[in-house]
Every structure is written in C-alpha cells, then in structure tokens.
Amino acid sequence: MRRSNLPAEPNRFVGRAGEQAELAALLGESRLVTVLGVGGVGKTRLALRVAAAVQKRYGEGVRLAELAPLRDPGLIEHALVEALGLTDHTLRAPREVLVEHLADRRLLLVLDGFEHLVEAAAPLVHALLAAAPGLTVLAAGRLPLRLPGEAVLALAPMDEPDALALLAERAARAGAPALPRDEAVRELCRRLDGIPLALELAAGRLPLLSVEQLLARLDDRFRLLGDGGRGVPPRHRTLRTAIGWSHELCTPRERLLWARLSVFAGPFDLEAVEYVCGGPDLPQEAVLDLLGGLLAQSLVTREDTAAGPGYRMLDTVAAYGAEWLAALGDTERMRRRHRDWYMGLATWCELEWFSPRQAEVAARTAAALPNLRAALDLCLELPDDAHLAQHLAGTLWFAWVG
Ligand SMILES: Nc1ncnc2c1ncn2[C@@H]1O[C@H](COP(=O)(O)OP(=O)(O)OP(=O)(O)O)[C@@H](O)[C@H]1O
Ligand SMILES: [Mg+2]
C-alpha cells in the first residue's frame, strides 16, 4: 500500500508561510487539529500542503478522506475504510475494521469538508482517537468538530502580499500581461477580501480586462447585490459575488455544463462528462471545448488520476452550479444520468476484473470511487431504486472489499 494518497498540487502554492508553520506546530502538540474558515479561503490547500510536509513524522504516512461529496452520513466510515486503502474480505462492520487497523499505527488522517456531516463525523473521530493512540486527525471545514482536545487554526483571508502574489501568479498563468504593483491592484485584492478562490476567478479575467475595468465591473456587481445578502457574512458575499460574476460571464452553454457538472463528486473524466452532461441542448462534440472554457476560467481544475487525465470542480463552485441546476428543475434527471454512467462503469469493471486488464480496472475503480458512492447514495435515496442499489453494491464487491 502506498503510504500516502495525497493528490499532487494542481498549481503553485503561494505564501501562507506563517500558517504553514503554525499548523505544523499544532500537529506536533495535539492529536486533533481543525483548520477552520469560510468557503474558498484555502483550508484544503493549506491542510494538504502541511500534511505532505509533516508526513515523515508518521510511520504509516498520511491518508486523505474527502467527505465533501458524501451526502449520507452513513457512508463516512466506508469513505475512511477506502481512504486507508483497507482490504477486508469479511463482512465486518467498517467501524471495527477501522479501529483494528488504526489501533497500533502512527498515522495522520486528513478529513476534508466534513461540515455537512459534522454530527456523525464528530463522534466517529472521537471514538477513533480514543481507540488509536498513534492516530492524529487533521480536519478542514467550515465548522469545528467541538471535541475535547481539538486545536483550531482559524484561517483568515490572505494578507496583502500573499493576495498580490496569488493574483499575479494566476493572471500570468492565464496569459495576462504582467500586473503592475500599483494601488489599483491592491484595491482589487482588498475588494476580493483576500479570498484565494475569488482572486483566482478574477485573475482569469485579466487577459481580457484591465485591473481598473475589472474593479469597475465588480463594483457594479456589489451594488447590484445591495442589501440582498443581509445576514450573510461579508466574506461569503464576496465569494458569491465573484462566483456570480464568473457565472454571468460564461456563455449559456458553459453555464449549462457548469450546472450539470455539479452532480459529480471528486474527480471525473471527459468520457463521463460527455455521457452525463451531453444532450440535445449540449451536443457531445461541444463538451470538450466547453470544458476547456471552464478550465480556462478556473471553474474547473485539472486533476489527473492513476486512470488518466481528470478534472474536478471545487466545492463552492459546484454548490453554485447545483443551485442553478435545481432552479432549472433538472437535478434529479442529471443525478440519474450520473448514476447510470457509473453503474455502467461498475459493470464493466466487474466483467474485466479477472482479465489481463485488472490493473487498469483497479485504477479506474479507485479514481471513480467518490462518484460510485454518490451513485449509490442516489439509489438509496429513491425507494424505487433500491434494487439498483443492491445491484450496484453487489457489482462493486471487488472495490468495497479491496
Ligand atoms: N496558498 C495558496 N496558494 C495557491 N492557491 C491557493 C492557496 N490557497 C488557496 N488556493 C486556491 O484557492 C482555491 C480555494 O482554496 P481551497 O479549495 O483550499 O478553499 P477551501 O477553504 O477548502 O474552500 P471550501 O470551503 O469550499 O472547501 C483553490 O483553487 C486553491 O487551489
Ligand atoms: Mg475545501
């Protein structure tokens, strides 16, 4: 088993020197550390960066479990079993498998995006820490777990030098002319509250617009929103504004693809997008270009897997797309298409399992697991589809049990 399952960094990591040192130190002092902050502020990036840096402290390495895509709290334990790369050929309860595996190991477990499942995640983390003295948990989310002994690092937006550096880096990558270090650029960073995701989205516009033009347009948007966001924390409003503005700048077809991509969980590949998102209103042959458009605007990021090239949509961006998809009244149909694709994949993998292509099958299954789980989630939600859930779970026996 590989000792770590951390993904490669998608692009250059910028700044956060103080936070990196602080988090590394907290991990040395406490067995439960939570990185807390608003959406898009950089919790995931910081947690993964530091986890990789401190990996050598843990004999058994670092394992990442991404909980953001899960809907059903009952699947958290399965997600952890999977993150730990455990093979279990018996029908034991996942909790038992986890406890037994972790009991005498020195390991760092990173739990990312647990906030929507906090009520189930907190007692589980508590129980695992109690049962496994060598376990350290690094959690990242918008809420604390509120467990005894939890050390919290509240991640603030980037300070001005980091925000400027991130904006300049991403603008350059997008092909924009070099940014002047002048007052307008500083104003732009302030306007975006130093939130990395908002800065990245804005940077994607700089090949086309000057900083002043961008500022003027953002101001219009903020004014447009007016008090509409009363009660919403200002930083949240900033991010919504940045995302909403990106949304307006997309072509209608890009918007449609964005909405539809929100049904994916974790990394997905082009074939899946073509099948799930294609249709009379979005011809399959147009999907590649549209996906390229979203990629260029930082709305989709590249995330290759062992199975080949892949893509991912950040949680906050996907959440915006999901709202749009719901407004179109198309959520259920898209989730069914998503499920159908992954059921087909699961069936193919099962058929090919005992073939010379086993390595490829294993890689594809591993890369698709978050999506397979999301598909199973849907089957469990719809009573009529219970038989499909059984079929899918049955087909996936080789993935669940390793
Ligand atoms: N220090 C950094 N250097 C480079 N890029 C960063 C940095 N911090 C954040 N980013 C980028 O900003 C975006 C948002 O960051 P991230 O996904 O870590 O936020 P988050 O706080 O985990 O958000 P969410 O609550 O939605 O999960 C990502 O594209 C990420 O790569
Ligand atoms: Mg995150």
Side-chain angles (χ1 to χ4, degrees):
M1 184 179 92
R2 278 190 311 137
R3 290 200 330 155
S4 134
N5 65 343
L6 299 178
E9 290 200 82
N11 44 34
R12 213 181 89 198
F13 187 92
V14 176
R16 297 290 204 191
E19 289 90 342
Q20 290 184 64
E22 190 185 343
L23 183 53
L26 285 177
L27 283 169
E29 293 158 12
S30 174
R31 288 176 55 221
L32 173 59
V33 182
T34 302
V35 178
L36 198 69
V38 293
V41 78
K43 301 178 292 294
T44 301
R45 230 13 230 274
L46 180 73
L48 296 186
R49 173 92 177 173
V50 172
V54 300
Q55 185 167 346
K56 49 187 176 307
R57 294 185 196 166
Y58 303 89
E60 299 287 329
V62 183
R63 308 296 296 188
L64 162 67
E66 289 182 66
L67 303 184
L70 292 186
R71 289 168 202 247
D72 180 348
L75 292 177
I76 301 182
E77 291 175 359
H78 289 278
L80 295 193
V81 167
E82 204 176 288
L84 290 166
L86 295 184
T87 309
D88 185 44
H89 293 282
T90 65
L91 289 171
R92 289 185 309 161
R95 168 87 61 120
E96 203 185 313
V97 177
L98 288 172
V99 166
E100 186 193 289
H101 178 81
L102 293 171
D104 49 6
R105 285 189 157 80
R106 242 187 106 65
L107 184 134
L108 177 64
L109 180 61
V110 184
L111 294 184
D112 192 23
F114 60 83
E115 53 271 341
H116 57 303
L117 304 170
V118 67
E119 272 158 34
L124 176 62
V125 169
H126 191 58
L128 292 179
L129 286 170
L135 174 68
T136 300
V137 173
L138 169 54
R142 298 178 198 171
L143 296 170
L145 285 161
R146 297 193 197 287
L147 289 174
E150 178 179 19
V152 171
L153 186 150
L155 188 60
M158 286 184 150
D159 60 17
E160 190 175 282
D162 282 0
L164 284 168
L166 181 64
L167 188 73
E169 207 278 332
R170 297 295 189 262
R173 263 175 57 102
L179 283 188
R181 291 261 161 149
D182 61 8
E183 186 45 36
V185 179
R186 277 193 286 277
E187 171 64 22
L188 179 58
C189 292
R190 275 197 294 275
R191 203 75 182 92
L192 297 171
D193 283 326
I195 296 177
L197 180 55
L199 292 163
E200 284 186 336
L201 293 173
R205 299 292 157 201
L206 286 171
L208 218 61
L209 298 175
S210 72
V211 174
E212 286 77 9
Q213 284 173 315
L214 197 101
L215 264 175
R217 272 152 221 252
L218 273 178
D219 273 341
D220 284 349
R221 280 238 22 141
F222 278 104
R223 256 198 302 279
L224 213 71
L225 272 179
D227 275 350
R230 226 196 308 262
V232 180
R235 276 173 197 142
H236 187 81
R237 215 168 350 175
T238 300
L239 188 59
R240 263 198 91 77
T241 305
I243 295 180
W245 187 55
S246 295
H247 195 250
E248 275 172 29
L249 292 175
C250 284
T251 65
R253 276 181 167 183
E254 283 173 345
R255 262 178 241 159
L256 197 57
L257 182 60
W258 175 350
R260 292 182 177 176
L261 287 175
S262 70
V263 297
F264 286 99
F268 46 82
D269 61 26
L270 179 62
E271 277 176 296
V273 179
E274 284 174 340
Y275 175 85
V276 176
C277 304
D281 47 357
L282 208 66
Q284 284 196 353
E285 57 279 9
V287 165
L288 180 60
D289 280 347
L290 294 170
L291 192 63
L294 296 181
L295 202 67
Q297 299 170 74
S298 297
L299 293 164
V300 167
T301 50
R302 180 84 188 251
E303 184 174 310
D304 296 349
T305 68
Y311 311 90
R312 166 194 290 273
M313 191 165 248
L314 289 174
D315 299 338
T316 317
V317 176
Y320 198 94
E323 279 176 28
W324 189 253
L325 191 64
L328 296 172
D330 209 16
T331 306
E332 191 164 318
R333 190 180 69 90
M334 286 317 296
R335 286 186 68 198
R336 283 181 196 274
R337 284 181 73 85
H338 172 272
R339 178 205 57 202
D340 293 346
W341 172 262
Y342 285 98
M343 292 249 314
L345 181 70
T347 306
W348 174 82
C349 287
E350 189 186 34
L351 291 174
E352 294 288 322
W353 185 244
F354 293 109
S355 77
R357 303 169 73 177
Q358 199 182 73
E360 182 195 342
V361 175
R364 285 197 76 170
T365 318
L369 270 176
N371 280 299
L372 288 166
R373 218 183 310 98
L376 189 60
D377 232 13
L378 176 67
C379 298
L380 294 172
E381 247 171 64
L382 305 173
D384 296 350
D385 287 355
H387 65 286
L388 288 177
Q390 256 176 3
H391 174 70
L392 187 59
T395 308
L396 282 173
W397 61 267
F398 58 90
W400 302 136
V401 300

